Amino acid sequence: MIEVENLEVAFGKGGNLKQVVKAVSFSVARGESLGIVGESGCGKSTVLRSLAGLDRHWTGRISLNRQSVDKNRTIEQLLLAQMVFQDPYGSIHPRHRIERVLAEPVRAMKKGGGWDRVPKALERVGLPAGFAERFPHELSGGQRQRVAIARALVLEPQILLLDEPTSALDVSVQAEVLNLLSDLREQQGLTYVLVSHDLSVIAHMCDRALVMKDGVFVDELDRADLQAGRTHAEYSAVLFQSSFL
Amino acid sequence: MTEAKMIVQHNALHQGAGRFYRSLQKSIDKLTREPLGMLGFAVLALLILVAIFAPWIAPYSPITQNLPQALQPPSWTHLAGTDEFGRDILSRLIYGARITIQTVLSVTVIVGPVGLIIGVVAGFAGGRTDAILMRATDIVLSFPSLILALAFAAALGAGLGTAIIAISLTGWPPIARLARAEALIVRNTDYVAAARLYGASPLRLLFLYIAPMCIPSVVVRLTMNMAGIILTAAALGFLGLGAQPPSPEWGAMISSGRKFMIDNWWVAVMPGIAILLTSLAFNLVGDALRDLLDPRHARS
Amino acid sequence: MPVPDSTSILTVRNLNVNFARSTLKAVDGVSFTLGAERLGIVGESGSGKSTLGRAIMKLLPNSAKIEAEALEFAGTSLGEASEKQMRKLRGNEMALIMQDPRYSLNPVLSIGNQVAEAAKLHLGLGKAAAYKAAAGMLERVRIADVERTMRLYPHQISGGMGQRVMIAMMLLAKPRLVIADEPTSALDVSVRGDVLKLLDELVTENNSGLILISHDIRMVAAFCQRILVMYKGRVVENLVRLEDAQHPYTRGLVAAMPNPRHPVRRLQVLDRPSIDAAEVRS
């Protein structure tokens, strides 16, 4: 579903050039859930943003659904992958009602009014239909994150890119959102790429995890490794140790 | 139109009205906790009413001269006294409110949209567009507005229209700067990133996502600016470049009263008080609006 | 496990906090005593845990109304202390460590000068000696390149380093009470352990009390000797071991955390109605 070859991302120019991602390659199968775990500044979010088409500083090759994509995406390519952001307070337009938030993707893509899809989109993420009337500030963090997931799914993408989707939420709300994400993946056969600093979230959600440090992948862990705490690199061992005191 | 459709439309209308009413109620609720802001709003409302109903309120004509009554001190017949031509100063102030309001509104209507659009486009587009627009803004900003207005009036002839154009010409750069700063912040938010991902066109981003977020602070700034506009207009009037005699412009009234200031203080002081109160009211309203519209400045 | 020091540092009895225009209590009848020990306060956002910490330091805005039967710190009643007395206490006797240390440090003073300032104040040293003492302290909190770090400004250092600097300053001040409000949640996973270890050293060395406020129940359980679990402003459970938890809220919190050692298909979510029912009964 996703293939990445020699992805490099660098910001800045000349002497200030900062190589954030250094020639990484990976692939994600259809319906798989891949986790990327690492600490702040390791480049994990940059990988995700390059996949989504938000960052344009990358070189290398990215292909989604067997077609190679460019830095500027066509409408069809944008339809393949949508993203859910970390901060539920900043990822929804504060002056749009929820119905508007959920209709906008359809309207922006010039695929009709979009209003008719709002009730179904809300139902899919377990929110009552009455929420369509509300403004984001009338919702809790977990409810907003549900709206953000609903917005990403309105266009029926096959890939969902999740950037720390629960790290701004309380533990009990995190459990609800993670359950919702698992259910949605099962029902709709979605492919996930989940980026997080929290190894326990990655271990819970993902079939496979890549450990990232300083712009490269230092370890690859499968489900059994994650459960047993088996690591193949020094850094991931440290990460395991400090994640589970 | 079928009946069912009409009912649906009616309901939608009703719902919209309900929403509007609720948010209005909330704003008024908040406003009642700001006594100074309320005072400002009250003064402005009074000023607008006075301007609208000037012919019915004013006890005398503002222009007809009555030389035997010249330079009367404030009394029950002439509450604010009379000027050197025997005209009732209170009546002139009441008619002058019309000129002031007209100036303020015209300048705001020109400056607001121009500043907003230039600023938002510069902030959103970035790069070369931003550099060109902002340098232009800097250049205009470095002109002293009064001097520019003087030059303008000299070229086009003095008058209220010229004054309005001159003030507007130098009034938009601060608004543009503010709008650009806001746009720079909004441009990098996650909701704009999400909108890019679902293919929103640049125009859509600009007008539906970024500009609406800049409007509240622009409105606040415009209200604060109104006080400055009144002062500039009065200064132009004082220099004889604004509204021309015999029209009762407040600045021009001070200017003519200046000659009698020592013996007949009221001729200059009364319009001065009018200017002071009005610009103070605009500042108070601006402060209150900032608390209402801009949550970042909320006092908790 | 060491027996908590019997001489209490902080006594809180029936503390209530109300915010203006709200009938709900942010903190509702909280009582506890703190000796020379590590006490954890756990709860989710809105549980009142941070408000409790700030109420003890009297750092709440004026709109908050604090009432308590007793709020005593090392013999002084904080309830009656004037703002002037509180300011003196806050600098010397009690300390607050916040989530992002870069906001607690003075942004226009270099790290070295800031720590040296603390040394001057608390040890009564001269300028050169204070600077030397500061360098020693920064070394103690395991900052790698002390000379270079002392010349940096707060915005130039990482969160983990900032927390170490805060701890270094407190080691100089030797407070009797340290309240740490989410001291590690802005930090990378791999430095959390170090910061906690330093915090522990700080309180053991001064024989002082530590209140660790956090949302992370597992971390608190691993680090603290006692845990108070807060829900909707009230302390619902007072635990020594997490395994002994009885209250449905505490058990729900533990079960809601994904644990790779016990993989589940779906995580357990909080059953809020039954928790509220349990609260009414108690």
Side-chain angles (χ1 to χ4, degrees), chain A residues 89 94-96 98 134-140 144, chain B residues 26:
Chain A
Y89 294 88
R95 288 183 202 275
H96 286 175
I98 301 308
R134 299 201 185 178
F135 278 111
H137 67 256
E138 297 169 306
L139 268 54
S140 70
R144 286 183 209 211
Chain B
K26 234 189 239 169

Side-chain angles (χ1 to χ4, degrees), chain A residues 1-18:
Chain A
M1 197 70 207
I2 305 173
E3 268 177 61
V4 174
E5 273 173 50
N6 281 323
L7 179 74
E8 298 215 359
V9 188
F11 295 107
K13 273 182 202 148
N16 285 330
L17 192 82
K18 195 159 182 277

Side-chain angles (χ1 to χ4, degrees), chain C residues 8-23:
Chain C
S8 77
I9 293 170
L10 180 74
T11 310
V12 178
R13 201 156 57 236
N14 200 10
L15 176 74
N16 291 297
V17 179
N18 265 76
F19 282 98
R21 279 196 231 116
S22 163
T23 49

Side-chain angles (χ1 to χ4, degrees), chain A residues 7-12 18 20-21 43-60 62 69-73 78 83 85 161 163, chain B residues 188 190 193-194 196-197:
Chain A
L7 179 74
E8 298 215 359
V9 188
F11 295 107
K18 195 159 182 277
V20 183
V21 178
K44 57 189 193 302
S45 287
T46 311
V47 170
L48 204 69
R49 290 174 76 89
S50 306
L51 277 181
L54 281 176
D55 268 341
R56 287 162 191 202
H57 301 275
W58 53 274
T59 56
I62 296 179
V69 293
D70 200 20
K71 278 156 203 148
N72 296 316
R73 306 282 164 95
L78 283 172
M83 187 159 162
F85 297 86
L161 306 169
D163 187 5
Chain B
N188 292 323
D190 282 348
R196 281 184 212 274
L197 281 186

Side-chain angles (χ1 to χ4, degrees), chain C residues 104-275:
Chain C
S104 330
L105 295 167
N106 185 346
V108 294
L109 220 55
S110 72
I111 300 295
N113 282 337
Q114 253 172 99
V115 184
E117 196 61 40
K120 247 191 270 179
L121 202 69
H122 299 292
L123 304 179
L125 294 173
K127 204 174 169 197
Y131 207 78
K132 217 166 172 184
M137 267 309 155
L138 288 174
E139 211 159 320
R140 260 220 57 194
V141 294
R142 293 190 273 288
I143 280 175
D145 191 351
V146 174
E147 274 302 307
R148 198 180 68 89
T149 311
M150 285 179 87
R151 282 195 300 271
L152 295 177
Y153 286 87
H155 67 273
Q156 294 168 309
I157 62 176
S158 69
M161 212 188 285
Q163 250 6 349
R164 283 165 214 248
V165 172
M166 285 299 288
I167 293 173
M169 283 164 72
M170 275 166 208
L171 280 164
L172 288 164
K174 298 197 194 322
R176 289 281 283 148
L177 171 67
V178 178
I179 299 178
D181 190 354
E182 302 274 9
T184 59
S185 51
L187 306 183
D188 272 331
V189 184
S190 57
V191 299
R192 281 181 194 179
D194 293 346
V195 167
L196 286 178
K197 214 183 285 165
L198 278 173
L199 261 181
D200 181 37
E201 276 173 33
L202 162 70
V203 293
T204 347
E205 187 179 307
N206 299 335
N207 198 26
S208 51
L210 169 73
I211 299 180
L212 177 71
I213 299 171
S214 173
H215 66 281
D216 189 338
I217 195 165
R218 254 190 239 148
M219 181 193 86
V220 170
F223 181 70
C224 292
Q225 293 151 321
R226 233 159 26 102
I227 312 168
L228 301 181
V229 183
M230 283 187 78
Y231 178 65
K232 289 192 178 169
R234 300 170 53 143
V235 172
V236 295
E237 203 155 27
N238 191 335
L239 290 170
V240 174
R241 271 156 35 95
L242 199 54
E243 292 76 22
D244 302 335
Q246 292 300 320
H247 197 277
Y249 178 68
T250 318
R251 299 170 74 127
L253 265 192
V254 175
M257 296 185 97
N259 186 347
R261 291 189 197 110
H262 306 284
V264 283
R265 207 190 67 75
R266 284 181 63 99
L267 294 164
Q268 202 176 316
V269 298
L270 279 187
D271 183 7
R272 290 178 199 273
S274 84
I275 293 168

Side-chain angles (χ1 to χ4, degrees), chain B residues 224-279:
Chain B
M224 302 270 206
N225 262 11
M226 286 177 181
I229 294 169
I230 291 176
L231 296 180
T232 314
L236 285 176
F238 185 86
L239 295 172
L241 296 166
Q244 290 303 301
S247 67
E249 206 278 326
W250 293 350
M253 285 169 74
I254 296 185
S255 169
S256 61
R258 188 180 43 154
K259 288 171 264 175
F260 316 100
M261 192 110 125
I262 309 292
D263 302 317
N264 314 95
W265 55 270
W266 58 90
V267 188
V269 168
M270 290 301 171
I273 292 174
I275 293 172
L276 175 80
L277 284 182
T278 317
S279 57

Side-chain angles (χ1 to χ4, degrees), chain A:
Chain A
M1 197 70 207
I2 305 173
E3 268 177 61
V4 174
E5 273 173 50
N6 281 323
L7 179 74
E8 298 215 359
V9 188
F11 295 107
K13 273 182 202 148
N16 285 330
L17 192 82
K18 195 159 182 277
Q19 189 92 8
V20 183
V21 178
K22 298 165 192 158
V24 298
S25 305
F26 62 96
S27 63
V28 189
R30 183 180 293 271
E32 198 192 12
S33 165
L34 174 79
I36 301 177
V37 65
E39 297 186 306
S40 55
C42 73
K44 57 189 193 302
S45 287
T46 311
V47 170
L48 204 69
R49 290 174 76 89
S50 306
L51 277 181
L54 281 176
D55 268 341
R56 287 162 191 202
H57 301 275
W58 53 274
T59 56
R61 212 174 67 83
I62 296 179
S63 56
L64 302 175
N65 204 15
R66 287 201 202 87
Q67 55 171 312
S68 184
V69 293
D70 200 20
K71 278 156 203 148
N72 296 316
R73 306 282 164 95
T74 63
I75 294 282
E76 286 71 33
Q77 289 166 348
L78 283 172
L79 276 173
L80 284 171
Q82 288 290 312
M83 187 159 162
V84 176
F85 297 86
Q86 171 177 8
D87 177 15
Y89 294 88
S91 63
I92 301 176
H93 198 295
R95 288 183 202 275
H96 286 175
R97 285 176 198 278
I98 301 308
E99 54 187 357
R100 176 85 181 276
V101 170
L102 296 176
E104 268 297 302
V106 186
R107 297 169 71 80
M109 291 231 164
K110 308 221 162 50
K111 294 191 166 214
W115 305 111
D116 50 320
R117 299 209 201 175
V118 173
K120 199 184 153 231
L122 280 173
E123 192 201 325
R124 180 147 58 183
V125 294
L127 290 175
F131 274 43
E133 283 273 302
R134 299 201 185 178
F135 278 111
H137 67 256
E138 297 169 306
L139 268 54
S140 70
Q143 288 164 343
R144 286 183 209 211
Q145 204 58 315
R146 282 171 190 263
V147 170
I149 293 169
R151 177 181 61 192
L153 291 177
V154 159
L155 294 170
E156 313 281 343
Q158 300 177 35
I159 302 167
L160 209 53
L161 306 169
L162 305 156
D163 187 5
E164 305 258 14
T166 59
S167 58
L169 304 176
D170 271 330
V171 179
S172 60
V173 182
Q174 163 172 294
E176 291 168 19
V177 171
L178 291 182
N179 283 344
L180 172 70
L181 287 171
S182 315
D183 292 346
L184 286 170
R185 184 160 80 99
E186 224 163 81
Q187 287 159 17
Q188 319 204 357
L190 295 167
T191 306
Y192 282 176
V193 179
L194 170 65
V195 158
S196 178
H197 69 279
D198 189 338
L199 202 53
S200 56
V201 168
I202 295 272
H204 174 70
M205 293 294 293
C206 299
D207 307 316
R208 195 156 56 92
L210 296 167
V211 181
M212 196 166 187
K213 191 185 186 226
D214 297 333
V216 287
F217 295 134
V218 294
D219 201 352
E220 180 173 344
L221 307 165
D222 62 18
R223 191 155 268 258
D225 290 338
L226 286 166
Q227 282 169 12
R230 219 175 10 241
T231 53
H232 318 102
E234 198 185 332
Y235 178 68
S236 38
V238 171
L239 214 55
F240 255 94
Q241 233 170 28
S242 40
S243 295
F244 308 108
L245 287 168

